[in-house]
Amino acid sequence: MSAQDRLTDALYGLGWSTVKKLPEPVAVRLGNTIADLTWKQRGKGVQRLESNYARVVPGASPERLAELSRAGMRSYLRYWMESFRLPAWSRQRIESGFVGKDLHYLTEGLAAGKGVILALPHLANWDLAGAWVTTKLGIPFTTVAERLKPESLYDRFVAYREGLGMEVLPHSGGTAFGTLARRLRDGGLVCLVADRDLSASGVEVGFFGDTARMPAGPALLAQQTGALLLPVTLWYDDSPVMRGRVHPPVEVPESGTRAEKTSVMTQALADAFATGIADHPEDWHMLQRLWLADLDPAKGTS
């Protein structure tokens, strides 16, 4: 392990061991302070966040984009502060930490025994939503985690999420799809963050007026297993409670090839994500390039 990897792992370890012991108001202030300092430094992540917001809020003035990026960094640090503290939260704190709308799509889908796929963008705190599902609803689920470097950091994240009641599969290795399909055929729940895919298998979608690429997995799983595919969007307000909405099901088209059906369904997911992101852009934690025009140096972007 390199010195940089050891430092990264140590910093995350410090967060989980120290931040979770802080009183909640202190953790909130700490998160805001770190966010504001990071925002003022205007590093690559902050600049990319602002650039992404410029697509989400077309015509926004530089002042408005600066306000959004500052709020976005505060939201992003709120996610991290909550994530570091979640393992120490009481059952009651987790249950009271989220309020959802239209949850009947989820509960009725599971009651029908056909399996449910929840697909989310990087909005607010998907880990808190997952902990609420396992704690308040008592529903276990399976998800996929990207293999992080160093490997010890990936192990920390897997242990963290498993401690919240999730089954975590590695993204790489080629076995995740088959396991997810089996869970769904057994009537289970699968949750996937699905607003960014840079692989060759990603599906091109229209997203805020330009082309992006999103994972094919949710649509393919729904076609192969008959599971219900539900978009979910999350957001914060000024309270300690996170909000969320389960959107109506994305239906499998009656005709077309598998690729054509996948394209239509993934576009429907992107459209649902866009409604939530447009309503709460500051809670979309996309500090990386997403649109193909930003990924292609030949198109004049950095």
Side-chain angles (χ1 to χ4, degrees):
M1 187 188 300
S2 69
Q4 180 63 45
D5 285 348
R6 285 196 297 271
L7 176 61
T8 300
D9 182 62
L11 288 174
Y12 279 97
L14 183 65
W16 267 298
S17 64
T18 303
V19 173
K20 70 180 181 182
K21 299 175 184 176
L22 297 175
E24 190 155 342
V26 175
V28 170
R29 288 196 299 272
L30 177 61
N32 285 340
T33 298
I34 295 172
D36 290 347
L37 288 172
T38 305
W39 176 76
K40 288 176 182 177
Q41 292 173 352
R42 295 196 56 79
K44 287 184 179 180
V46 173
Q47 293 180 49
R48 176 52 52 190
L49 184 66
E50 211 163 280
S51 175
N52 289 340
Y53 286 160
R55 291 182 181 271
V56 174
V57 190
S61 66
E63 292 78 16
R64 172 61 177 148
L65 289 175
E67 290 174 0
L68 272 176
S69 64
R70 185 187 184 203
M73 289 307 298
R74 284 192 164 205
S75 176
Y76 187 45
L77 263 295
R78 176 172 172 174
Y79 160 79
W80 279 112
M81 289 293 139
E82 286 179 347
S83 295
F84 287 142
R85 293 171 53 75
L86 262 174
W89 278 12
S90 67
R91 181 184 184 91
Q92 190 278 330
R93 178 66 182 89
I94 293 174
E95 292 182 354
S96 64
F98 173 72
V99 173
K101 296 168 57 178
D102 296 328
L103 293 168
H104 64 92
Y105 290 120
L106 168 61
T107 55
E108 290 171 4
L110 290 172
K114 59 192 302 184
V116 174
I117 306 158
L118 298 181
L120 308 88
H122 286 81
L123 272 169
N125 191 340
W126 46 97
D127 285 329
L128 172 55
W132 185 86
V133 167
T134 59
T135 303
K136 176 73 172 181
L137 301 184
I139 300 171
F141 67 86
T142 304
T143 189
V144 174
E146 180 182 358
R147 279 203 175 275
L148 303 170
K149 292 185 178 181
E151 189 77 13
S152 57
L153 180 58
Y154 170 77
D155 292 340
R156 285 186 189 273
F157 270 96
V158 169
Y160 155 64
R161 290 184 171 127
E162 288 179 343
L164 299 175
M166 311 174 193
E167 179 188 23
V168 183
L169 307 176
H171 186 272
S172 59
T175 61
F177 189 92
T179 303
L180 294 173
R182 286 195 296 275
R183 299 292 183 268
L184 291 168
R185 290 194 186 98
D186 290 339
L189 176 63
V190 164
C191 299
L192 301 170
V193 179
D195 58 345
R196 183 174 184 260
D197 188 335
L198 305 183
S199 72
S201 61
V203 178
E204 291 190 4
V205 295
F207 197 56
F208 290 104
D210 211 336
T211 304
R213 193 179 288 125
M214 294 187 181
L220 289 172
L221 283 166
Q223 291 175 62
Q224 187 163 315
T225 67
L228 200 63
L229 176 55
L230 300 174
V232 176
T233 53
L234 308 170
W235 67 92
Y236 289 128
D237 57 19
D238 293 329
S239 77
V241 179
M242 186 178 70
R243 312 285 170 172
R245 175 191 174 196
V246 180
H247 295 252
V250 173
E251 304 290 347
V252 178
E254 294 183 0
S255 62
T257 65
R258 186 173 73 164
E260 289 168 344
K261 292 178 180 179
T262 300
S263 177
V264 170
M265 295 172 72
T266 307
Q267 182 63 62
L269 279 181
D271 292 343
F273 294 167
T275 63
I277 292 167
D279 288 342
H280 305 278
E282 68 279 3
D283 291 324
W284 189 41
H285 308 150
M286 186 56 65
L287 281 73
Q288 302 86 19
R289 293 178 176 87
L290 178 73
W291 284 272
L292 300 192
D294 294 335
L295 291 164
D296 185 356
K299 298 191 177 181
T301 58
S302 57

